[in-house]
Amino acid sequence: MTRNNSLAPPTLVVDTRTRPRSDTNETRAVTPSGSFVSSASTISNSFLTPSHSNSHLLPTPSECGSVLTVAPEAVLLPDPGTESDFQVENNPFAFSPGHLNKLQNPKSLSAFWALGGLAGIARGLQSDINAGLSIDETSAPSSITFEQAIGRTSDKFPESPKWVSTPGSSRFADRTRVFGKNILPAKKATPIWKLMWNAYNDKVIILLTVAAIISLALGLYETFGTVKEPGSPPSVDWVEGVAIIIAILIVTLVGSLNDWQKERAFVRLNAKKEDREIKVVRSGKSFMINVRDILVGDVLHIEPGDLVPVDGVFINGHDLKCDESSATGESDAIKKTPGEQVMAQLDSGANPKDLDPFIISGSKVLEGVGTFLCTSVGVNSSFGKIMMSIRTEIEATPLQKKLERLAVAIAKLGGTAAILLFFVLLFRFLGGLSADTRTSSEKASAFLDILIVAVTIIVVAVPEGLPLAVTLALAFATTRLLKENNLVRVLRACETMGNATAICSDKTGTLTTNKMTVVVGTFGQSSFARSEGEEPGVRTVSQWAAELAQKTREAIVQSVAINSTAFEGEETGQFTFIGSKTETALLQLARDHLGMQSLAEVRANEQVVQMMPFDSAKKCMGAVIRLRDGSGYRLLVKGASEILLNFCSEKADVHSLATSGLSGDERIELESTIDSYAKGSLRTIGIVYKDFSQWPPNDAEVEDGHVQFHSVLDNLIWLGLVGIQDPVRPGVPEAVRKAQHAGVVVRMVTGDNAVTAQAIATECGIYTDGLIMEGPEFRRLSNEDMDAKLPKLQVLARSSPEDKRILVARLKALGETVAVTGDGTNDAPALKTADVGFSMGICGTEVAKEASEIVLMDDNFASILTALKWGRAVNDSVQKFLQFQITVNITAVLLAFISAVADPEMHSVLTAVQLLWVNLIMDTFAALALATDPPTERVLDRKPQPKSAPLITTNMWKMIIGQAILQLAVTLVLHFAGSQILGYDPNDTTQQTELDTMVFNTFVWMQIFNEFNNRRLDNNFNIFEGVHRNRFFILINFIMVGAQIAIIFVGGAAFEITAINGTQWAICVVAAAVSLPWAVAVRLFPDAWFAKIAGTVGAPVVVVYRFLARICSKVGAVFSKIWKKTKTSSSLEEQDQEKSTPKEQNIAPEIVVSEGWDNGHMYNSPEIRIDDLEQGRR
């Protein structure tokens, strides 16, 4: 079917002139020149701008009457990457999802006007703002164009042809096809095999796999491919390869199963609550439907307590106020203006400030009732877009990156040592061939032995225990963190948190409770203050309430309970008050401290004569009740304290309620108290009343039987004053102080105003004498200015979600490791950008949890310190293990190298199986032992390590080199001079086997003692500190000692050793125990001296390493080129196709000139913006 579907034509003026009926029924679009052009496209491509624009041809006001100009091609232009939202095949509606998104992206009155206001949107969506959608709708009722929809009256355009419904269409088929359903695509749970594959794709693991394959292949050949002499021990060389494969499987399984378990735990945490229902109007009747069944064009009812499920435009209602703090960060209630009223004011040229007809998904209704027209659902709604945008891949952590670099470096050094050893032994082998009388098979076996020794060097050099240590440390930490109210969704976020250098915290709901609370009050001479940090002599609220007379309590309860529009309800299964935040705070005070049991009961016990709604001019509200003794009536008033004070001439005694005149000094004192509360960023509420003998009073103005509120606001009695604030969470100031002591900079990032932000930041200890900036000012800074101000920035107020994201991204660019805390939907972009995102498990939105890596189950900012401590413990564990592992590797490689080169038969002092025990089992046990040390408070006494900090510190290198020297000296002396020292016969095979056993035994015991040395990374001597708290460490050491004893006594055949006597055991253990006092000597050696010596001695090593690295990279480049050539030849056809497609890069940047409203301000001068897809918006 041919039809018009040019939704947003290249029109620079909305033409309200009546077109003659003599026009054809073909729908036409207005061009900039004023002519009409036919449009018969079946694809809505409304965002194409005209190739030229002649502003001189715009009709003038004298030609058009009252015409409001706007530029739809600018206002409704797609943002880069959203073009597909504007293109809908065969669209019977006037708008695409992209057009309607422009209403909320961000709130745009210009887009609202360009779409014809509420009436235009309803027409374009073929809906009725009174009757809603038709229950019987299947296909669209008809077809409507953009021009028809935005017409000011319905008779100005020719009728569009009737839309032909497709036979057999399901209900709302076209509407669902064009605008979608109110559901988000289910995020598939990552299958276990994919998690295993992700865990396996680690450079260290891949390196181990290569080593395992080579070792296994050579081992199997040695076992099955060679003929052994009768009586020779069975070949177990293949065990080494199998053992490495087992290590790989353990690492992969532990890592993936942990991720899988955490993902399932998060799914359980975010298990869908009971399906919500909402009242909808269809075919003029109201009934309840599931929120998933809401469609664009639906008319929905909302009332206090409702969580808005979709985006829309307010139709009408009474005093509707929404809490958009979770969506925008704005903590104040936002009053909504009906769409038609907004359009009328825009048409009249009134100031559009404070006009807000937009209903945002994810916001909550606080007060009032009303209906709104749904404009966006599912992935197109504000809530849906944020949910979809946070589904991104996780970056590698700083530790991951460092470990990968270390693995590559070790592989290069190990490979170099192996190649060097292989060629040294090979040349010796070839040089002795002429005098070699062995058979060919024996010579081949000797050559194979050389190759096995070389491969063993590589296997020993690669730290296969390292990934296991990291995984075990993280798994242990995350399990313990869950017990301490931290659900770690992403395993590696734990270690990243350990080195966090900055925390950017949201204010509302994170540092504060997101629950307005009465924190201070003054009633006559009696006053109270918050329970934390009150001044001496000032009572807490509990103490104050206990001293109040019953009469006074009843008067206060009357005022806050009767003179209120809030009501009792339930949220997430818990009792709560629903209504404005101020009223709920006062009711909570009455319930918690003044003995109010049930709000409904208090109201039932009083006879209410008249309710006086909130007067925005007087900033107060009132209620009139009949006194219980029948003696008269009482007017109860509460509101802005500074205004009510001017209406008062008397004050009530707090104990007896006896009244007396309000003197000038008393008035000044009260004004001073109000000012002091206001400076503390408290919302001050005055409570006043007045008794009347009759109602209505004689001197009151009466209209329609009701007393006019303003006529009785005179000579009132002052009862008291309270200060209301969203209070700081208990424990937050202490947590902030500890974080700062640990070297972490805490910044507050909030959507609130600067005054409130400063007050809360000061109370938390975040703001000292630093810089406070507002979002609009911050985002205008250049990168250079931003970098200069960031070190001093402590509070970012009035910030949008994009401002938060920019701040986090800029800090990361400066090398900071950034943690972000937040609970609202508006925090999601920053949570996702951060290195570690913390969300709140109780009051956090689903979006925030989905974007975070760690969920704080108790919503306590102080729990971040727990994560910080365990994160540092993980980093310490990895460094402890590295210190131990590299010592073993250096010693084992050099020992194998030196002994193999020095031995006439080219055999290493440590056999392959002995190296297997040292290299794998010892490493695995050490990983378990060193990765399970719980943190102490002392870990917060040091500064975090920056991303650029080396993984192995100078202090660690000192211990590694020091212990390697000792271990090499002891083992080499035993190996080469042991026979002379102990008086053994070099030709006695038994004694030589005993000596080799002693070398092996001493070497292993040195590792056991050195494990204790590595429990400390600093220069302190107490290596046993906290060892009794780590049962794993004690158990594993018992296992290692027991296993070593068993190997010496019963492992002779496999390990090529023999049992030794008590004296020999004593020599081994005592020689190994020297490593403990030696470690003390190493720690006493100054770090600065070691650094200088290492810099001098290590310079040649660095030169050789870089030379070898260049050679390796060149060899790798050759293989890479070969691979690319083969890949290129297979994709020539794809390249040809690309060449036939015009390059997007060659498109010139588009210059857009726009004018209209932005954030409630009218720009008289045009704004020039250059849109370049490559360089972004400038």
Side-chain angles (χ1 to χ4, degrees):
M1 173 178 173
T2 304
R3 60 175 296 281
N4 185 321
N5 199 15
S6 179
L7 300 189
T11 309
L12 297 183
V13 61
V14 177
D15 196 339
T16 60
R17 291 172 291 180
T18 305
R19 297 181 186 172
R21 285 288 182 185
S22 57
D23 258 357
T24 65
N25 282 338
E26 182 182 21
T27 309
R28 300 181 177 186
V30 188
T31 65
S33 62
S35 62
F36 294 96
V37 291
S38 298
S39 175
S41 170
T42 60
I43 300 178
S44 83
N45 192 9
S46 55
F47 53 85
L48 295 177
T49 54
S51 57
H52 61 86
S53 175
N54 191 345
S55 59
H56 299 291
L57 295 178
L58 289 173
T60 62
S62 60
E63 293 173 318
C64 304
S66 177
V67 176
L68 187 61
T69 59
V70 74
E73 79 283 5
V75 175
L76 302 178
L77 192 74
D79 295 321
T82 64
E83 290 82 358
S84 59
D85 292 341
F86 289 73
Q87 298 174 337
V88 182
E89 290 276 353
N90 202 22
N91 188 356
F93 302 100
F95 313 121
S96 66
H99 290 104
L100 298 171
N101 286 346
K102 294 303 245 177
L103 292 169
Q104 313 270 13
N105 190 26
K107 296 176 185 177
S108 171
L109 288 175
S110 298
F112 180 69
W113 196 92
L115 293 174
L118 176 61
I121 294 169
R123 274 198 299 271
L125 296 177
Q126 302 189 47
S127 180
D128 187 296
I129 60 174
N130 297 311
L133 300 177
S134 169
I135 294 177
D136 303 320
E137 180 182 321
T138 52
S139 299
S142 62
S143 170
I144 186 168
T145 65
F146 184 90
E147 298 82 12
Q148 290 172 311
I150 65 171
R152 291 292 180 266
T153 57
S154 58
D155 62 344
K156 293 190 177 180
F157 295 96
E159 292 181 6
S160 59
K162 187 72 176 175
W163 182 250
V164 180
S165 68
T166 308
S169 294
S170 58
R171 291 184 66 204
F172 305 108
D174 281 328
R175 198 171 294 275
T176 304
R177 175 179 60 81
V178 174
F179 300 110
K181 297 181 179 180
N182 192 35
I183 54 176
L184 298 179
K187 188 179 180 184
K188 293 180 182 177
T190 312
I192 186 72
W193 66 266
K194 193 169 184 181
L195 290 170
M196 290 176 69
W197 178 249
N198 292 342
Y200 178 79
N201 276 325
D202 185 285
K203 285 183 180 177
V204 181
I205 301 291
I206 293 168
L207 207 61
L208 278 173
T209 306
V210 174
I213 291 169
I214 295 171
S215 181
L216 185 61
L218 291 174
L220 290 173
Y221 177 77
E222 273 287 297
T223 304
F224 303 109
T226 59
V227 180
K228 297 292 180 183
E229 294 179 10
S232 61
S235 177
V236 287
D237 292 338
W238 55 270
V239 173
E240 188 157 2
V242 170
I244 297 174
I245 290 171
I246 291 170
I248 292 168
L249 287 174
I250 291 171
V251 170
T252 307
L253 281 170
V254 170
S256 56
L257 286 172
N258 253 289
D259 286 340
W260 185 65
Q261 182 189 352
K262 295 301 172 289
E263 197 167 291
R264 288 184 67 201
F266 181 67
V267 169
R268 285 197 299 272
L269 174 77
N270 253 353
K272 282 199 171 182
K273 301 171 185 174
E274 293 178 25
D275 288 333
R276 290 189 293 126
E277 291 194 332
I278 194 166
K279 189 183 288 185
V280 66
V281 179
R282 287 184 181 169
S283 296
K285 295 179 181 178
S286 297
F287 50 90
M288 303 298 288
I289 65 168
N290 193 292
V291 290
R292 291 175 299 189
D293 299 325
I294 299 172
L295 299 167
V296 169
D298 263 327
V299 174
L300 303 166
H301 281 280
I302 45 176
E303 55 189 32
D306 281 353
L307 194 65
V308 180
V310 292
D311 290 342
V313 175
F314 185 36
I315 298 174
N316 55 47
H318 176 70
D319 260 354
L320 185 69
K321 291 182 182 178
C322 291
D323 175 9
E324 297 178 356
S325 61
S326 72
T328 65
E330 177 60 57
S331 60
D332 288 334
I334 309 297
K335 185 168 185 181
K336 301 299 174 181
T337 313
E340 289 183 346
Q341 187 178 326
V342 170
M343 199 64 182
Q345 294 205 38
L346 293 179
D347 281 338
S348 67
N351 185 359
K353 188 180 180 183
D354 296 332
L355 296 181
D356 188 346
F358 305 109
I359 307 293
I360 297 181
S361 54
S363 61
K364 184 179 175 183
V365 180
L366 291 180
E367 298 178 50
V369 294
T371 57
F372 74 97
L373 178 68
C374 172
T375 58
S376 295
V377 296
V379 295
N380 295 312
S381 66
S382 305
F383 179 86
K385 281 187 175 297
I386 294 180
M387 280 294 284
M388 297 305 291
S389 71
I390 59 180
R391 294 184 181 181
T392 56
E393 292 301 315
I394 298 160
E395 292 181 16
T397 64
L399 184 61
Q400 275 178 293
K401 293 172 183 173
K402 289 176 183 177
L403 287 175
E404 284 183 0
R405 289 196 294 268
L406 180 66
V408 171
I410 289 174
K412 287 175 182 175
L413 290 169
T416 304
I419 291 168
L420 184 60
L421 177 63
F422 175 74
F423 279 112
V424 168
L425 298 182
L426 179 64
F427 290 148
R428 278 184 57 190
F429 174 74
L430 293 174
L433 274 180
S434 57
D436 199 336
T437 58
R438 289 177 293 183
T439 63
S440 299
S441 61
E442 287 174 338
K443 290 176 183 176
S445 180
F447 172 75
L448 201 58
D449 286 340
I450 293 171
L451 189 59
I452 287 173
V453 170
V455 171
T456 304
I457 292 289
I458 295 177
V459 173
V460 170
V462 175
E464 64 266 29
L466 184 56
L468 182 62
V470 176
T471 305
L472 287 173
L474 288 171
F476 182 71
T478 51
T479 305
R480 292 293 297 270
L481 275 170
L482 189 55
K483 293 177 182 176
E484 299 188 44
N485 297 314
N486 281 249
L487 171 63
V488 181
R489 294 186 56 226
V490 180
L491 194 61
R492 295 186 182 274
C494 186
E495 55 91 355
T496 309
M497 186 58 204
N499 286 326
T501 56
I503 297 176
C504 297
S505 177
D506 180 40
K507 176 185 77 71
T508 309
T510 306
L511 296 169
T512 64
T513 60
N514 196 20
K515 186 177 180 182
M516 295 299 277
T517 307
V518 176
V519 292
V520 292
T522 300
F523 289 77
Q525 298 304 311
S526 172
S527 63
F528 63 89
R530 69 197 76 193
S531 56
E532 287 187 50
E534 65 270 19
E535 297 174 13
V538 178
R539 289 177 290 277
T540 65
V541 64
S542 301
Q543 293 168 339
W544 166 80
E547 295 172 4
L548 281 180
Q550 185 62 29
K551 216 174 179 183
T552 309
R553 283 193 195 183
E554 288 178 1
I556 298 172
V557 169
Q558 272 181 350
S559 189
V560 301
I562 307 301
N563 186 18
S564 171
T565 58
F567 57 92
E568 293 167 322
E570 267 193 24
E571 269 185 14
T572 62
Q574 292 186 338
F575 171 85
T576 186
F577 293 109
I578 298 173
S580 81
K581 293 184 177 182
T582 300
E583 292 192 336
T584 56
L586 290 168
L587 287 171
Q588 200 67 46
L589 171 73
R591 187 170 184 271
D592 293 344
H593 302 288
L594 300 178
M596 185 183 80
Q597 296 298 319
S598 165
L599 179 59
E601 187 181 320
V602 172
R603 288 175 175 172
N605 289 336
E606 302 291 350
Q607 185 179 345
V608 180
V609 177
Q610 184 178 340
M611 293 293 292
M612 298 169 174
F614 184 79
D615 186 327
S616 56
K618 305 289 186 185
K619 292 190 176 179
C620 59
M621 61 190 294
V624 180
I625 58 171
R626 185 192 295 273
L627 294 175
R628 292 178 189 174
D629 58 8
S631 60
Y633 300 84
R634 177 169 289 173
L635 169 66
L636 306 167
V637 183
K638 73 171 189 287
S641 53
E642 67 277 9
I643 293 176
L644 290 184
L645 183 59
N646 293 327
F647 297 144
C648 293
S649 58
E650 294 181 282
K651 69 176 190 301
D653 181 76
V654 73
H655 300 294
S656 62
L657 289 188
T659 60
S660 59
L662 192 63
S663 67
D665 290 342
E666 288 171 332
R667 189 178 296 274
I668 291 170
E669 187 180 342
L670 282 171
E671 286 173 349
S672 173
T673 303
I674 292 170
D675 285 344
S676 68
Y677 286 0
K679 285 176 182 175
S681 192
L682 302 179
R683 188 178 296 173
T684 59
I685 302 295
I687 299 174
V688 303
Y689 71 97
K690 185 176 182 181
D691 291 339
F692 295 89
S693 58
Q694 65 179 51
W695 193 266
N698 292 328
D699 56 349
E701 295 179 22
V702 181
E703 189 174 313
D704 297 331
H706 294 291
V707 173
Q708 295 298 295
F709 193 19
H710 66 85
S711 66
V712 290
L713 291 177
D714 189 30
N715 293 323
L716 302 179
I717 301 167
W718 180 268
L719 180 59
L721 157 75
V722 294
I724 297 176
Q725 185 186 52
D726 182 5
V728 171
R729 284 184 180 277
V732 165
E734 176 66 12
V736 169
R737 187 191 62 75
K738 285 185 176 179
Q740 291 169 339
H741 176 69
V744 183
V745 178
V746 183
R747 294 179 176 87
M748 178 195 285
V749 187
T750 177
D752 241 331
N753 64 71
V755 176
T756 303
Q758 180 176 346
I760 298 295
T762 303
E763 188 177 342
C764 291
I766 293 172
Y767 177 70
T768 49
D769 56 351
L771 187 63
I772 296 178
M773 291 188 74
E774 293 192 340
E777 179 190 356
F778 176 77
R779 76 177 77 110
R780 285 195 295 267
L781 295 175
S782 65
N783 284 346
E784 293 75 18
D785 291 339
M786 209 176 279
D787 293 349
K789 290 183 182 294
L790 277 178
K792 294 181 181 178
L793 182 67
Q794 292 179 332
V795 178
L796 185 62
R798 284 188 60 214
S799 60
S800 68
E802 182 61 12
D803 295 330
K804 295 182 185 182
R805 192 198 62 77
I806 291 170
L807 171 64
V808 173
R810 200 66 218 150
L811 285 169
K812 285 179 71 177
L814 292 174
E816 302 266 7
T817 300
V818 187
V820 169
T821 70
D823 66 333
T825 302
N826 61 310
D827 298 315
L831 284 168
K832 203 66 187 177
T833 306
D835 292 295
V836 183
F838 287 88
S839 64
M840 302 294 156
I842 299 172
C843 68
T845 63
E846 187 183 344
V847 181
K849 292 176 191 172
E850 187 69 33
S852 67
E853 283 82 31
I854 299 177
V855 181
L856 301 176
M857 307 289 281
D858 59 351
D859 284 13
N860 194 344
F861 179 86
S863 294
I864 296 171
L865 275 186
T866 308
L868 183 65
K869 285 195 290 187
W870 274 100
R872 292 192 175 184
V874 168
N875 281 285
D876 286 353
S877 296
V878 172
Q879 288 187 308
K880 286 174 188 176
F881 179 76
L882 260 180
Q883 187 170 286
F884 175 81
Q885 171 87 66
I886 293 175
T887 305
V888 177
N889 287 356
I890 289 175
T891 312
V893 168
L894 288 175
L895 194 59
F897 189 100
I898 295 167
S899 60
V901 171
D903 190 67
E905 296 181 10
M906 294 178 283
H907 287 158
S908 168
V909 63
L910 297 177
T911 66
V913 179
Q914 289 172 2
L915 282 171
L916 168 66
W917 166 245
V918 171
N919 191 52
L920 177 66
I921 308 301
M922 291 287 292
D923 290 351
T924 306
F925 282 149
L928 279 166
L930 294 171
T932 51
D933 260 345
T936 63
E937 287 294 325
R938 290 190 181 183
V939 297
L940 298 178
D941 292 339
R942 64 172 193 258
K943 304 300 178 189
Q945 295 179 357
K947 289 178 182 177
S948 56
L951 192 57
I952 306 173
T953 62
T954 302
N955 203 38
M956 288 170 67
W957 274 121
K958 184 176 74 171
M959 184 56 69
I960 289 167
I961 301 299
Q963 287 294 334
I965 289 169
L966 173 71
Q967 291 180 13
L968 277 173
V970 172
T971 48
L972 289 175
V973 165
L974 265 178
H975 178 57
F976 290 110
S979 297
Q980 295 174 358
I981 295 170
L982 300 174
Y984 291 167
D985 184 358
N987 299 317
D988 188 331
T989 309
T990 304
Q991 287 188 339
Q992 287 306 307
T993 306
E994 287 177 355
L995 185 60
D996 289 343
T997 303
M998 289 176 66
V999 172
F1000 167 63
N1001 196 26
T1002 305
F1003 186 78
V1004 170
W1005 275 94
M1006 278 196 287
Q1007 310 318 317
I1008 293 171
F1009 285 117
N1010 192 38
E1011 194 184 356
F1012 284 87
N1013 289 328
N1014 288 304
R1015 290 192 71 247
R1016 292 206 80 101
L1017 292 170
D1018 53 24
N1019 285 326
N1020 292 329
F1021 300 146
N1022 187 5
I1023 57 176
F1024 299 103
E1025 183 183 357
V1027 72
H1028 61 284
R1029 295 190 295 120
N1030 190 347
R1031 294 176 185 174
F1032 278 103
F1033 187 88
I1034 298 167
L1035 177 64
I1036 287 162
N1037 273 282
F1038 274 120
I1039 291 171
M1040 284 195 293
V1041 169
Q1044 179 63 18
I1045 293 170
I1047 286 170
I1048 297 299
F1049 283 108
V1050 299
F1055 285 81
E1056 300 179 38
I1057 55 177
T1058 187
I1060 55 177
N1061 59 37
T1063 305
Q1064 292 166 329
W1065 264 104
I1067 291 169
C1068 295
V1069 174
V1070 170
V1074 174
S1075 64
L1076 295 178
W1078 177 252
V1080 174
V1082 170
R1083 287 190 166 98
L1084 287 171
F1085 194 83
D1087 289 354
W1089 292 8
F1090 174 80
K1092 286 182 181 178
I1093 294 168
T1096 306
V1097 177
V1101 178
V1102 173
V1103 171
V1104 172
Y1105 170 74
R1106 287 178 179 166
F1107 172 72
L1108 293 171
R1110 277 197 292 271
I1111 292 174
C1112 290
S1113 62
K1114 284 180 181 177
V1115 171
V1118 171
F1119 283 107
S1120 179
K1121 283 180 183 176
I1122 295 169
W1123 168 252
K1124 283 180 182 175
K1125 282 181 182 177
T1126 56
K1127 199 173 179 182
T1128 305
S1129 61
S1130 65
S1131 60
L1132 283 173
E1133 193 174 343
E1134 291 178 14
Q1135 288 183 355
D1136 291 338
Q1137 287 176 359
E1138 286 177 9
K1139 286 177 183 175
S1140 63
T1141 307
K1143 295 280 184 184
E1144 205 170 81
Q1145 288 88 334
N1146 295 331
I1147 298 173
E1150 183 175 19
I1151 299 178
V1152 179
V1153 181
S1154 64
E1155 64 178 356
W1157 297 279
D1158 185 14
N1159 295 330
H1161 300 286
M1162 181 77 176
Y1163 289 111
N1164 296 320
S1165 56
E1167 173 194 1
I1168 298 179
R1169 190 180 70 234
I1170 301 175
D1171 282 348
D1172 187 341
L1173 295 180
E1174 290 299 314
Q1175 298 183 17
R1177 183 165 286 183
R1178 305 193 292 277

